[in-house]
Amino acid sequence: MPQHRLPKSIATVCLSGTLPDKLESAAAAGFDGVEIFENDLLTFDGTPAEVRRMCEDLGLAITIFQPFRDFEAMPEPQRRRNLDRAERKFDTMQALGTDLILVCSTTHAAALPEPERAAEDLREMAERAASRQLRVCYEALAWGRHVNRWRQAWEIVQRADHAALGLCLDSFHTLSLGDDLAGLADAVPPEKLFFLQLADAPRLSMDVLSWSRHHRLFPGQGELPVPAFLKDLLAAGYAGPLSLEIFNDEFRAAPSRRIARDGQRSLVWIEDQVGIASLPALPKLSGLEFVEFAVDHAARAELGALIGTLGFRPGGTHRSKDVELWRQGGVNLVLNSEPDSAASERFEQAGPCVCAIALRVDDPARLVARAEALSYRVWRERIDAGERAIPAIRAPDGTLVYLVEDPVSGGRPIWEDDFRLDGAAPADGLLGVDHVAQAMTPDMMDSFVLFYRSLLGLAPDATWELPDPYGLVRSCAFVSADGSVRMPLNVSESRRTGTGRFVSARAGAGVHHIAFQAADAAAEVDAAAGRAAPLLNIPENYYEDLGARFDLEDAEIAALAARHLLYDRDAAGGSFLHAYTHAFRDRFFLEIVARQKGYAGFGAANAPVRMAAQMRQGSRE
Ligand SMILES: O=C(O)c1ccc(O)c(O)c1
Ligand SMILES: [Mg+2]
C-alpha cells in the first residue's frame, strides 16, 4: 500500500464546457491534477502556455497529455511521419509543462501485427522523449488492432526496454474484456507502472468501443469490479495519480461542477473501498421515520384530505413552526407550511412536493461525518430552545435527508420534543414506508446512484425498462441490505411519459411516489375505498391476463379486480399486492403495498398497466 496520499486527477473529457470551465470545475472539486485531452486543447483559443498558466493559477498539475493515436507498428511512410508528429506533440507538452504522454494501441487497419516493430517504434519515441526529459506510457485499447490486453502491451514495453517508456493501465479496457490484473505484481516492476485511469461502466452487451465512448461511469456508479482492479495495481506498487477518464454522453451535457464533484467523491469512495483512506463507517439503516411535504395552507388542506382517505389523522402540531404531523400505523407524514424555511424554499420553487425524508440510522453524527468527507452538503435547520437539532444531508436534487437515531440504538422518538401530540388515534393498518420513488432527468441518475451507494451503502436492484404509453421509463431501485430502505430511481428520455411530465413540472428531480406497507392490502384498500379514496382503476384485461400468467383461483382474481389491486409473484413464490391513488395535482401519488414470503421487487411487470391507467385518469381530470 502506498505510503503517501495519491494525487487525484480527472481527464478534461469527463466534463462539459470549454477548457477553462473544465479546469475551474476540476479545481473547485478539489482535484490535484487533470489529464489534458487533446481535443480540449485543439478547440481552445489560446496557447498551451496559457493553459499551463491557468492550471498553475488553479493549483492543478497536468498529469498527462493524451491520446497519441495510431503510432506503433505502422509501415513507412507513416512510421517516419508519426515520429515527426511525436516531436510536435513533445513541443506542446513542454509548453503545457507536463512530462507524460499517453500512446494508445493502434486501431489502424494498416498496422503490422509485429510486437517487435511496435517495441522498436516505442523505443525510438521514448528515446526522443527522454532527450527532452519527457516520458511515454502505452495503453492497450480494448479494441486495439493487434494489442488489446495489458499483457500484450507489457510484452512490448518490456521488449522496448527504455526507462522513459512504461504502461498506462485503464480499468475499463481490462475489465470490459472480462480480464483482470492477475500476475501484474509478479510480471511488472512498479517503476514501469506510469499511469492509471479509473472508469466504471454498467454491464452492457454491445461492442466495446461504443460501450467505452458513451457509457463509462465514475467508480461506484457502474457494475465493474474497479476497487479490486485498483487493489491489484496498488499491490503491484503503483504510486502515481488516481485519474478518472470517463467518456459519457450525459456527463458531456451536465453541469461540469456537479460532475467534477461526483468524480472527486467517487475517488474518496474507492480509496475507502481499497483501504488507502477511510471514511466513517456506513450507517446501519432501519427504515424511514417520516416523509415531509412542502405545502401552503391550500395544498395542506387538499393533501390532508387525500391522506385522510388512507386513514391518516392529524397527530400533533409543531411547537414553534407551522408544521403538522399526520399518522397512520407506523407511518409519519409531516406537512410543512412554515414560511422562510427549507420547506418553503422548495414550495416556492416546485409547488407542493416532498421536500424531505428522514432515515432512522444507528449514529446520525457518524453519517454526517461520512457525508462531509464525501462533500455532500449538510443542513441544520434553525431551532428554538428545547427543540431537537436533527441534521440533514442534501440529496443531489436538494431534497433533505434527515437523520434520526434509531430507537433501537438508544434514540428517543423525535416527536415528543418538537410536537404537541394531541391527535385522535389514527387507523393502524400501515406498517411503515415501503419505498420512496424518485423521478429525474437522465443526467441526474448517476449523481443519485453515487449518493445512495457511497453515502448510504445501498445496492442496486435489477434495471427495468417500463413502457409508458408515451415513451420508456428506465427504473432501478437502490435498496439497503436488510430491505428497510428502498429507493427506486426513474428516468425517461421522453417528456410525455408520466415520469417526463413530472420532471418538467418539477423542474428537475423529486419524489414521484411513496408506497406504504400494509399488513393486509385488501383490508387497507377496502377501508380506503370506504373513505372515498381516489384509487386508480385497473382495466379488466389486466385481470384476464393474471389468470393466464398465474395459477390463481377465479375467486382470488375477482377479489383483486374488485379492489383494483395489482399482483406479482417472484420465482421463489414471494408475492406482491399493490394499489395506487390518483396523482396529487399531477405531481406525486401514493401506493399501498403488501409483501409476502420475501418478495423483494416492486411489481415492475405491472408498471405499464399502472402508467397507462394514470395517463387515462390524468386526461379525465
Ligand atoms: O476512446 C478512445 O479512443 C480512448 C482514448 C484514450 C484513452 O485513454 C482511452 O481509454 C480511450
Ligand atoms: Mg484510457
Side-chain angles (χ1 to χ4, degrees):
M1 289 293 132
Q3 298 303 303
H4 59 95
R5 196 180 82 84
L6 302 181
K8 296 189 174 74
S9 158
I10 185 166
T12 53
V13 73
C14 304
L15 303 172
S16 69
T18 62
L19 185 56
D21 293 337
K22 293 169 188 248
L23 299 178
E24 278 164 26
S25 297
F31 282 96
D32 304 298
V34 287
E35 296 184 30
I36 298 286
F37 206 72
E38 187 172 48
N39 194 52
D40 287 315
L41 181 65
L42 299 185
T43 56
F44 175 62
D45 183 22
T47 64
E50 285 171 54
V51 175
R52 173 189 197 150
R53 237 177 349 262
M54 276 193 299
C55 289
E56 280 169 1
D57 290 348
L58 291 165
L60 292 169
I62 298 180
T63 52
I64 200 167
F65 179 60
Q66 74 123 332
F68 194 77
R69 297 184 192 276
D70 295 331
F71 171 73
E72 82 284 17
M74 292 297 288
E76 295 292 1
Q78 284 103 322
R79 179 172 180 276
R80 189 102 326 261
R81 259 193 249 132
N82 274 342
L83 286 163
D84 294 343
R85 186 160 61 96
E87 294 284 0
R88 299 256 200 140
K89 295 301 164 187
F90 293 162
D91 296 342
T92 305
M93 289 165 66
Q94 287 180 312
L96 283 171
T98 183
D99 75 337
L100 189 58
I101 187 165
L102 183 157
V103 174
C104 51
S105 60
T106 183
T107 59
H108 202 289
L112 305 167
E114 296 168 16
E116 315 79 45
R117 262 297 302 281
E120 229 174 89
D121 294 347
L122 283 162
R123 186 187 158 78
E124 173 70 22
M125 184 173 174
E127 179 62 26
R128 292 176 182 219
S131 72
R132 307 201 201 192
Q133 271 79 52
L134 303 177
R135 299 178 306 142
V136 178
C137 61
Y138 184 49
E139 174 191 47
L141 291 184
W143 57 91
R145 177 102 176 122
H146 302 298
V147 173
N148 44 44
R149 304 272 178 162
W150 69 263
R151 291 178 194 82
Q152 295 171 296
W154 169 237
E155 195 198 314
I156 290 167
V157 167
Q158 199 174 18
R159 195 188 286 259
D161 190 26
H162 196 290
L165 180 67
L167 280 181
C168 169
L169 288 149
D170 176 322
S171 60
F172 181 86
H173 295 302
T174 298
L175 301 174
S176 63
L177 298 179
D179 199 0
D180 57 31
L181 296 182
L184 180 81
D186 293 331
V188 185
E191 66 274 12
K192 285 291 179 187
L193 300 171
F194 279 16
F195 206 72
L196 159 67
Q197 295 173 321
L198 292 172
D200 200 345
R203 290 198 184 278
L204 300 171
S205 47
M206 59 168 31
D207 71 279
V208 73
L209 184 148
S210 309
W211 187 13
S212 177
R213 292 266 173 90
H214 302 282
H215 301 282
R216 288 188 181 208
L217 293 167
F218 290 134
Q221 291 178 325
E223 299 173 281
L224 302 181
V226 187
F229 177 93
L230 177 56
K231 258 191 189 156
D232 286 346
L233 204 59
L234 295 171
Y238 178 73
L242 304 177
S243 195
L244 297 164
E245 191 202 34
I246 316 300
F247 306 87
N248 179 297
D249 299 1
E250 299 295 346
F251 288 17
R252 285 179 190 275
S256 59
R257 296 236 166 193
R258 168 161 58 82
I259 300 299
R261 192 54 90 186
D262 280 348
Q264 194 267 349
R265 291 174 173 128
S266 81
L267 290 180
V268 171
W269 173 81
I270 203 167
E271 284 181 330
D272 176 65
Q273 292 283 307
V274 303
I276 53 177
S278 67
L279 284 169
L282 282 170
K284 183 171 173 350
L285 302 171
S286 42
L288 270 73
E289 179 66 14
F290 65 83
V291 176
E292 179 174 326
F293 297 85
V295 286
D296 62 4
H297 287 175
R300 184 173 74 189
E302 206 179 316
L303 182 57
L306 172 64
I307 61 180
T309 65
L310 300 186
F312 285 86
R313 292 286 172 268
T317 47
H318 196 278
R319 291 185 191 280
S320 67
K321 295 178 188 154
D322 191 3
V323 175
E324 291 181 353
L325 166 66
W326 288 61
R327 297 180 127 161
Q328 211 275 48
V331 181
N332 301 304
L333 300 181
V334 171
L335 276 51
N336 192 333
S337 320
E338 174 71 5
D340 199 20
S341 64
S344 68
E345 202 181 287
R346 298 291 280 177
F347 183 83
E348 294 305 327
Q349 189 201 347
C353 63
V354 171
C355 58
I357 60 171
L359 295 175
R360 288 191 285 260
V361 304
D362 55 341
D363 183 351
R366 193 179 78 233
L367 186 49
V368 164
R370 186 175 174 95
E372 283 169 342
L374 287 162
S375 312
Y376 286 113
R377 276 186 302 149
V378 173
W379 164 264
R380 290 182 177 84
E381 181 91 42
R382 110 193 110 71
I383 52 165
D384 279 11
E387 291 172 6
R388 188 93 69 92
I390 307 175
I393 300 163
R394 290 256 186 213
D397 65 325
T399 297
L400 291 175
V401 178
Y402 282 102
L403 310 176
V404 304
E405 190 175 3
D406 178 10
V408 177
S409 307
R412 257 178 331 120
I414 51 174
W415 309 107
E416 281 102 50
D417 288 346
D418 294 6
F419 284 78
R420 269 184 289 276
L421 296 174
D422 48 12
D428 67 352
L430 298 181
L431 304 172
V433 174
D434 184 85
H435 60 270
V436 176
Q438 285 155 293
M440 60 201 62
T441 49
D443 73 300
M444 286 296 288
M445 181 80 159
D446 299 311
S447 291
F448 272 93
V449 167
L450 195 64
F451 180 75
Y452 287 126
R453 171 136 345 128
S454 70
L455 180 68
L456 301 178
L458 305 188
D461 207 51
T463 295
W464 295 87
E465 278 169 358
L466 310 167
D468 177 283
Y470 293 105
L472 280 183
V473 174
R474 190 158 51 90
S475 180
C476 180
F478 279 75
V479 182
S480 64
D482 67 348
S484 71
V485 175
R486 296 182 169 99
M487 309 291 293
L489 305 179
N490 298 327
V491 298
S492 171
E493 300 287 347
S494 163
R495 291 168 70 89
R496 297 177 68 207
T497 58
T499 294
R501 287 183 306 131
F502 169 83
V503 167
S504 313
R506 191 72 171 65
V511 171
H512 193 208
H513 78 263
I514 303 157
F516 306 121
Q517 205 172 118
D520 179 339
E524 211 52 43
V525 167
D526 286 344
R531 299 182 206 103
L535 295 172
L536 192 66
N537 283 358
I538 303 301
E540 192 53 40
N541 290 341
Y542 170 78
Y543 295 99
E544 291 292 335
D545 179 57
L546 260 196
R549 283 195 293 143
F550 300 111
D551 57 341
L552 294 169
E553 304 286 336
D554 288 351
E556 286 177 281
I557 293 175
L560 294 172
R563 297 182 171 94
H564 296 287
L565 269 167
L566 298 153
Y567 178 87
D568 192 28
R569 195 189 294 167
D570 62 24
S575 64
F576 190 57
L577 291 170
H578 54 149
Y580 295 90
T581 69
H582 293 179
F584 179 79
R585 294 199 188 168
D586 199 25
R587 285 165 182 278
F588 54 83
F589 52 96
L590 307 174
E591 180 182 6
I592 293 169
V593 314
R595 296 174 183 275
Q596 271 137 18
K597 298 193 187 141
Y599 180 92
F602 299 87
N606 299 327
V609 176
R610 183 256 298 166
M611 292 191 290
Q614 286 175 319
M615 191 63 73
R616 271 194 302 279
Q617 186 263 321
S619 63
R620 267 199 298 276
E621 276 190 347

PDB file of all heavy atoms in Angstrom, residues 146-171:
ATOM      1  N   HIS A 146      -4.022  -4.864 -32.876  1.00  0.00           N
ATOM      2  CA  HIS A 146      -3.244  -6.066 -32.540  1.00  0.00           C
ATOM      3  C   HIS A 146      -2.953  -6.184 -31.046  1.00  0.00           C
ATOM      4  O   HIS A 146      -2.533  -7.229 -30.586  1.00  0.00           O
ATOM      5  CB  HIS A 146      -1.917  -6.076 -33.309  1.00  0.00           C
ATOM      6  CG  HIS A 146      -2.112  -6.034 -34.792  1.00  0.00           C
ATOM      7  ND1 HIS A 146      -2.770  -7.028 -35.489  1.00  0.00           N
ATOM      8  CD2 HIS A 146      -1.767  -5.090 -35.718  1.00  0.00           C
ATOM      9  CE1 HIS A 146      -2.803  -6.724 -36.775  1.00  0.00           C
ATOM     10  NE2 HIS A 146      -2.220  -5.542 -36.940  1.00  0.00           N
ATOM     11  N   VAL A 147      -3.142  -5.087 -30.336  1.00  0.00           N
ATOM     12  CA  VAL A 147      -2.834  -5.078 -28.899  1.00  0.00           C
ATOM     13  C   VAL A 147      -4.070  -4.605 -28.164  1.00  0.00           C
ATOM     14  O   VAL A 147      -4.496  -3.459 -28.337  1.00  0.00           O
ATOM     15  CB  VAL A 147      -1.648  -4.116 -28.611  1.00  0.00           C
ATOM     16  CG1 VAL A 147      -1.428  -3.960 -27.114  1.00  0.00           C
ATOM     17  CG2 VAL A 147      -0.388  -4.612 -29.298  1.00  0.00           C
ATOM     18  N   ASN A 148      -4.702  -5.500 -27.400  1.00  0.00           N
ATOM     19  CA  ASN A 148      -5.857  -5.049 -26.621  1.00  0.00           C
ATOM     20  C   ASN A 148      -5.859  -5.530 -25.167  1.00  0.00           C
ATOM     21  O   ASN A 148      -6.757  -5.216 -24.411  1.00  0.00           O
ATOM     22  CB  ASN A 148      -7.176  -5.404 -27.317  1.00  0.00           C
ATOM     23  CG  ASN A 148      -7.158  -6.810 -27.853  1.00  0.00           C
ATOM     24  OD1 ASN A 148      -6.705  -7.718 -27.157  1.00  0.00           O
ATOM     25  ND2 ASN A 148      -7.616  -6.992 -29.079  1.00  0.00           N
ATOM     26  N   ARG A 149      -4.823  -6.246 -24.771  1.00  0.00           N
ATOM     27  CA  ARG A 149      -4.713  -6.694 -23.376  1.00  0.00           C
ATOM     28  C   ARG A 149      -3.469  -6.070 -22.766  1.00  0.00           C
ATOM     29  O   ARG A 149      -2.457  -5.899 -23.450  1.00  0.00           O
ATOM     30  CB  ARG A 149      -4.555  -8.219 -23.308  1.00  0.00           C
ATOM     31  CG  ARG A 149      -5.657  -8.981 -23.993  1.00  0.00           C
ATOM     32  CD  ARG A 149      -6.797  -9.239 -23.060  1.00  0.00           C
ATOM     33  NE  ARG A 149      -7.878  -9.927 -23.731  1.00  0.00           N
ATOM     34  CZ  ARG A 149      -8.848 -10.577 -23.103  1.00  0.00           C
ATOM     35  NH1 ARG A 149      -8.856 -10.638 -21.788  1.00  0.00           N
ATOM     36  NH2 ARG A 149      -9.808 -11.154 -23.782  1.00  0.00           N
ATOM     37  N   TRP A 150      -3.518  -5.826 -21.458  1.00  0.00           N
ATOM     38  CA  TRP A 150      -2.360  -5.206 -20.821  1.00  0.00           C
ATOM     39  C   TRP A 150      -1.129  -6.110 -20.901  1.00  0.00           C
ATOM     40  O   TRP A 150      -0.005  -5.617 -20.970  1.00  0.00           O
ATOM     41  CB  TRP A 150      -2.667  -4.783 -19.380  1.00  0.00           C
ATOM     42  CG  TRP A 150      -2.858  -5.929 -18.402  1.00  0.00           C
ATOM     43  CD1 TRP A 150      -4.036  -6.468 -18.004  1.00  0.00           C
ATOM     44  CD2 TRP A 150      -1.838  -6.650 -17.700  1.00  0.00           C
ATOM     45  NE1 TRP A 150      -3.827  -7.487 -17.106  1.00  0.00           N
ATOM     46  CE2 TRP A 150      -2.484  -7.614 -16.900  1.00  0.00           C
ATOM     47  CE3 TRP A 150      -0.446  -6.580 -17.660  1.00  0.00           C
ATOM     48  CZ2 TRP A 150      -1.781  -8.496 -16.077  1.00  0.00           C
ATOM     49  CZ3 TRP A 150       0.253  -7.458 -16.838  1.00  0.00           C
ATOM     50  CH2 TRP A 150      -0.414  -8.410 -16.059  1.00  0.00           C
ATOM     51  N   ARG A 151      -1.339  -7.416 -20.943  1.00  0.00           N
ATOM     52  CA  ARG A 151      -0.178  -8.317 -21.014  1.00  0.00           C
ATOM     53  C   ARG A 151       0.567  -8.158 -22.342  1.00  0.00           C
ATOM     54  O   ARG A 151       1.792  -8.233 -22.393  1.00  0.00           O
ATOM     55  CB  ARG A 151      -0.607  -9.771 -20.807  1.00  0.00           C
ATOM     56  CG  ARG A 151      -1.065 -10.048 -19.369  1.00  0.00           C
ATOM     57  CD  ARG A 151      -1.551 -11.481 -19.176  1.00  0.00           C
ATOM     58  NE  ARG A 151      -2.273 -11.594 -17.911  1.00  0.00           N
ATOM     59  CZ  ARG A 151      -3.539 -11.257 -17.727  1.00  0.00           C
ATOM     60  NH1 ARG A 151      -4.269 -10.781 -18.732  1.00  0.00           N
ATOM     61  NH2 ARG A 151      -4.108 -11.366 -16.547  1.00  0.00           N
ATOM     62  N   GLN A 152      -0.211  -7.918 -23.413  1.00  0.00           N
ATOM     63  CA  GLN A 152       0.441  -7.666 -24.711  1.00  0.00           C
ATOM     64  C   GLN A 152       1.188  -6.335 -24.675  1.00  0.00           C
ATOM     65  O   GLN A 152       2.307  -6.229 -25.190  1.00  0.00           O
ATOM     66  CB  GLN A 152      -0.612  -7.613 -25.831  1.00  0.00           C
ATOM     67  CG  GLN A 152      -1.324  -8.914 -26.073  1.00  0.00           C
ATOM     68  CD  GLN A 152      -2.497  -8.705 -27.038  1.00  0.00           C
ATOM     69  OE1 GLN A 152      -3.447  -7.993 -26.725  1.00  0.00           O
ATOM     70  NE2 GLN A 152      -2.393  -9.306 -28.210  1.00  0.00           N
ATOM     71  N   ALA A 153       0.552  -5.332 -24.092  1.00  0.00           N
ATOM     72  CA  ALA A 153       1.212  -4.023 -24.002  1.00  0.00           C
ATOM     73  C   ALA A 153       2.499  -4.153 -23.186  1.00  0.00           C
ATOM     74  O   ALA A 153       3.537  -3.589 -23.530  1.00  0.00           O
ATOM     75  CB  ALA A 153       0.275  -2.998 -23.372  1.00  0.00           C
ATOM     76  N   TRP A 154       2.419  -4.945 -22.118  1.00  0.00           N
ATOM     77  CA  TRP A 154       3.599  -5.118 -21.264  1.00  0.00           C
ATOM     78  C   TRP A 154       4.721  -5.839 -22.022  1.00  0.00           C
ATOM     79  O   TRP A 154       5.890  -5.467 -21.924  1.00  0.00           O
ATOM     80  CB  TRP A 154       3.244  -5.860 -19.980  1.00  0.00           C
ATOM     81  CG  TRP A 154       4.464  -6.287 -19.207  1.00  0.00           C
ATOM     82  CD1 TRP A 154       4.795  -7.540 -18.828  1.00  0.00           C
ATOM     83  CD2 TRP A 154       5.527  -5.444 -18.744  1.00  0.00           C
ATOM     84  NE1 TRP A 154       5.985  -7.558 -18.167  1.00  0.00           N
ATOM     85  CE2 TRP A 154       6.469  -6.271 -18.100  1.00  0.00           C
ATOM     86  CE3 TRP A 154       5.784  -4.078 -18.826  1.00  0.00           C
ATOM     87  CZ2 TRP A 154       7.643  -5.785 -17.521  1.00  0.00           C
ATOM     88  CZ3 TRP A 154       6.962  -3.584 -18.263  1.00  0.00           C
ATOM     89  CH2 TRP A 154       7.870  -4.432 -17.615  1.00  0.00           C
ATOM     90  N   GLU A 155       4.345  -6.822 -22.801  1.00  0.00           N
ATOM     91  CA  GLU A 155       5.357  -7.549 -23.572  1.00  0.00           C
ATOM     92  C   GLU A 155       6.135  -6.580 -24.477  1.00  0.00           C
ATOM     93  O   GLU A 155       7.366  -6.661 -24.593  1.00  0.00           O
ATOM     94  CB  GLU A 155       4.667  -8.620 -24.420  1.00  0.00           C
ATOM     95  CG  GLU A 155       5.606  -9.661 -24.972  1.00  0.00           C
ATOM     96  CD  GLU A 155       4.970 -10.420 -26.129  1.00  0.00           C
ATOM     97  OE1 GLU A 155       3.802 -10.837 -26.005  1.00  0.00           O
ATOM     98  OE2 GLU A 155       5.646 -10.569 -27.164  1.00  0.00           O
ATOM     99  N   ILE A 156       5.402  -5.653 -25.060  1.00  0.00           N
ATOM    100  CA  ILE A 156       6.030  -4.678 -25.963  1.00  0.00           C
ATOM    101  C   ILE A 156       6.895  -3.690 -25.185  1.00  0.00           C
ATOM    102  O   ILE A 156       8.027  -3.381 -25.581  1.00  0.00           O
ATOM    103  CB  ILE A 156       4.926  -3.973 -26.800  1.00  0.00           C
ATOM    104  CG1 ILE A 156       4.347  -4.981 -27.806  1.00  0.00           C
ATOM    105  CG2 ILE A 156       5.453  -2.734 -27.494  1.00  0.00           C
ATOM    106  CD1 ILE A 156       3.072  -4.533 -28.475  1.00  0.00           C
ATOM    107  N   VAL A 157       6.367  -3.211 -24.067  1.00  0.00           N
ATOM    108  CA  VAL A 157       7.126  -2.251 -23.240  1.00  0.00           C
ATOM    109  C   VAL A 157       8.405  -2.913 -22.722  1.00  0.00           C
ATOM    110  O   VAL A 157       9.482  -2.304 -22.702  1.00  0.00           O
ATOM    111  CB  VAL A 157       6.253  -1.723 -22.079  1.00  0.00           C
ATOM    112  CG1 VAL A 157       7.078  -0.987 -21.038  1.00  0.00           C
ATOM    113  CG2 VAL A 157       5.145  -0.817 -22.628  1.00  0.00           C
ATOM    114  N   GLN A 158       8.252  -4.157 -22.331  1.00  0.00           N
ATOM    115  CA  GLN A 158       9.404  -4.897 -21.809  1.00  0.00           C
ATOM    116  C   GLN A 158      10.461  -5.067 -22.903  1.00  0.00           C
ATOM    117  O   GLN A 158      11.653  -4.871 -22.690  1.00  0.00           O
ATOM    118  CB  GLN A 158       8.916  -6.257 -21.336  1.00  0.00           C
ATOM    119  CG  GLN A 158       9.834  -6.954 -20.378  1.00  0.00           C
ATOM    120  CD  GLN A 158       9.189  -8.235 -19.852  1.00  0.00           C
ATOM    121  OE1 GLN A 158       8.231  -8.759 -20.434  1.00  0.00           O
ATOM    122  NE2 GLN A 158       9.711  -8.730 -18.749  1.00  0.00           N
ATOM    123  N   ARG A 159       9.982  -5.435 -24.057  1.00  0.00           N
ATOM    124  CA  ARG A 159      10.880  -5.642 -25.194  1.00  0.00           C
ATOM    125  C   ARG A 159      11.589  -4.343 -25.591  1.00  0.00           C
ATOM    126  O   ARG A 159      12.774  -4.335 -25.931  1.00  0.00           O
ATOM    127  CB  ARG A 159      10.054  -6.160 -26.382  1.00  0.00           C
ATOM    128  CG  ARG A 159      10.851  -6.748 -27.516  1.00  0.00           C
ATOM    129  CD  ARG A 159       9.922  -7.040 -28.682  1.00  0.00           C
ATOM    130  NE  ARG A 159       9.071  -8.196 -28.473  1.00  0.00           N
ATOM    131  CZ  ARG A 159       9.308  -9.390 -28.994  1.00  0.00           C
ATOM    132  NH1 ARG A 159      10.374  -9.600 -29.731  1.00  0.00           N
ATOM    133  NH2 ARG A 159       8.477 -10.383 -28.788  1.00  0.00           N
ATOM    134  N   ALA A 160      10.846  -3.221 -25.526  1.00  0.00           N
ATOM    135  CA  ALA A 160      11.441  -1.918 -25.888  1.00  0.00           C
ATOM    136  C   ALA A 160      12.530  -1.527 -24.891  1.00  0.00           C
ATOM    137  O   ALA A 160      13.519  -0.894 -25.255  1.00  0.00           O
ATOM    138  CB  ALA A 160      10.354  -0.853 -25.936  1.00  0.00           C
ATOM    139  N   ASP A 161      12.306  -1.876 -23.628  1.00  0.00           N
ATOM    140  CA  ASP A 161      13.326  -1.722 -22.597  1.00  0.00           C
ATOM    141  C   ASP A 161      13.947  -0.328 -22.567  1.00  0.00           C
ATOM    142  O   ASP A 161      15.147  -0.163 -22.783  1.00  0.00           O
ATOM    143  CB  ASP A 161      14.416  -2.800 -22.817  1.00  0.00           C
ATOM    144  CG  ASP A 161      15.373  -2.856 -21.631  1.00  0.00           C
ATOM    145  OD1 ASP A 161      14.951  -2.480 -20.516  1.00  0.00           O
ATOM    146  OD2 ASP A 161      16.543  -3.253 -21.833  1.00  0.00           O
ATOM    147  N   HIS A 162      13.100   0.661 -22.337  1.00  0.00           N
ATOM    148  CA  HIS A 162      13.612   2.028 -22.221  1.00  0.00           C
ATOM    149  C   HIS A 162      13.050   2.657 -20.946  1.00  0.00           C
ATOM    150  O   HIS A 162      11.853   2.551 -20.677  1.00  0.00           O
ATOM    151  CB  HIS A 162      13.200   2.849 -23.443  1.00  0.00           C
ATOM    152  CG  HIS A 162      14.000   4.115 -23.582  1.00  0.00           C
ATOM    153  ND1 HIS A 162      13.865   5.183 -22.732  1.00  0.00           N
ATOM    154  CD2 HIS A 162      14.973   4.465 -24.468  1.00  0.00           C
ATOM    155  CE1 HIS A 162      14.701   6.132 -23.082  1.00  0.00           C
ATOM    156  NE2 HIS A 162      15.400   5.722 -24.142  1.00  0.00           N
ATOM    157  N   ALA A 163      13.917   3.340 -20.191  1.00  0.00           N
ATOM    158  CA  ALA A 163      13.493   3.900 -18.902  1.00  0.00           C
ATOM    159  C   ALA A 163      12.371   4.926 -19.063  1.00  0.00           C
ATOM    160  O   ALA A 163      11.574   5.132 -18.142  1.00  0.00           O
ATOM    161  CB  ALA A 163      14.686   4.547 -18.195  1.00  0.00           C
ATOM    162  N   ALA A 164      12.274   5.559 -20.231  1.00  0.00           N
ATOM    163  CA  ALA A 164      11.242   6.592 -20.433  1.00  0.00           C
ATOM    164  C   ALA A 164       9.947   6.003 -20.993  1.00  0.00           C
ATOM    165  O   ALA A 164       9.065   6.747 -21.407  1.00  0.00           O
ATOM    166  CB  ALA A 164      11.769   7.693 -21.353  1.00  0.00           C
ATOM    167  N   LEU A 165       9.855   4.676 -21.031  1.00  0.00           N
ATOM    168  CA  LEU A 165       8.634   4.032 -21.533  1.00  0.00           C
ATOM    169  C   LEU A 165       8.040   3.128 -20.454  1.00  0.00           C
ATOM    170  O   LEU A 165       8.746   2.307 -19.855  1.00  0.00           O
ATOM    171  CB  LEU A 165       8.957   3.188 -22.771  1.00  0.00           C
ATOM    172  CG  LEU A 165       7.760   2.451 -23.400  1.00  0.00           C
ATOM    173  CD1 LEU A 165       6.763   3.427 -24.000  1.00  0.00           C
ATOM    174  CD2 LEU A 165       8.236   1.445 -24.462  1.00  0.00           C
ATOM    175  N   GLY A 166       6.742   3.310 -20.195  1.00  0.00           N
ATOM    176  CA  GLY A 166       6.056   2.475 -19.203  1.00  0.00           C
ATOM    177  C   GLY A 166       4.633   2.177 -19.644  1.00  0.00           C
ATOM    178  O   GLY A 166       4.249   2.453 -20.783  1.00  0.00           O
ATOM    179  N   LEU A 167       3.866   1.617 -18.722  1.00  0.00           N
ATOM    180  CA  LEU A 167       2.486   1.230 -19.027  1.00  0.00           C
ATOM    181  C   LEU A 167       1.485   2.245 -18.497  1.00  0.00           C
ATOM    182  O   LEU A 167       1.702   2.854 -17.449  1.00  0.00           O
ATOM    183  CB  LEU A 167       2.150  -0.098 -18.332  1.00  0.00           C
ATOM    184  CG  LEU A 167       2.613  -1.408 -18.943  1.00  0.00           C
ATOM    185  CD1 LEU A 167       2.108  -2.552 -18.039  1.00  0.00           C
ATOM    186  CD2 LEU A 167       2.085  -1.578 -20.368  1.00  0.00           C
ATOM    187  N   CYS A 168       0.383   2.387 -19.221  1.00  0.00           N
ATOM    188  CA  CYS A 168      -0.814   3.027 -18.670  1.00  0.00           C
ATOM    189  C   CYS A 168      -1.876   1.943 -18.556  1.00  0.00           C
ATOM    190  O   CYS A 168      -2.183   1.267 -19.546  1.00  0.00           O
ATOM    191  CB  CYS A 168      -1.319   4.139 -19.578  1.00  0.00           C
ATOM    192  SG  CYS A 168      -2.960   4.737 -19.100  1.00  0.00           S
ATOM    193  N   LEU A 169      -2.417   1.771 -17.361  1.00  0.00           N
ATOM    194  CA  LEU A 169      -3.493   0.799 -17.179  1.00  0.00           C
ATOM    195  C   LEU A 169      -4.808   1.533 -17.004  1.00  0.00           C
ATOM    196  O   LEU A 169      -4.886   2.514 -16.267  1.00  0.00           O
ATOM    197  CB  LEU A 169      -3.198  -0.086 -15.974  1.00  0.00           C
ATOM    198  CG  LEU A 169      -2.063  -1.058 -16.292  1.00  0.00           C
ATOM    199  CD1 LEU A 169      -1.266  -1.396 -15.067  1.00  0.00           C
ATOM    200  CD2 LEU A 169      -2.608  -2.313 -16.950  1.00  0.00           C
ATOM    201  N   ASP A 170      -5.807   1.057 -17.717  1.00  0.00           N
ATOM    202  CA  ASP A 170      -7.131   1.693 -17.690  1.00  0.00           C
ATOM    203  C   ASP A 170      -8.124   0.601 -17.298  1.00  0.00           C
ATOM    204  O   ASP A 170      -8.234  -0.426 -17.986  1.00  0.00           O
ATOM    205  CB  ASP A 170      -7.400   2.266 -19.095  1.00  0.00           C
ATOM    206  CG  ASP A 170      -8.779   2.883 -19.253  1.00  0.00           C
ATOM    207  OD1 ASP A 170      -9.746   2.332 -18.696  1.00  0.00           O
ATOM    208  OD2 ASP A 170      -8.890   3.898 -19.962  1.00  0.00           O
ATOM    209  N   SER A 171      -8.821   0.824 -16.189  1.00  0.00           N
ATOM    210  CA  SER A 171      -9.689  -0.244 -15.665  1.00  0.00           C
ATOM    211  C   SER A 171     -10.738  -0.665 -16.694  1.00  0.00           C
ATOM    212  O   SER A 171     -11.084  -1.839 -16.785  1.00  0.00           O
ATOM    213  CB  SER A 171     -10.380   0.195 -14.371  1.00  0.00           C
ATOM    214  OG  SER A 171     -11.176   1.338 -14.595  1.00  0.00           O
TER     215      SER A 171
END
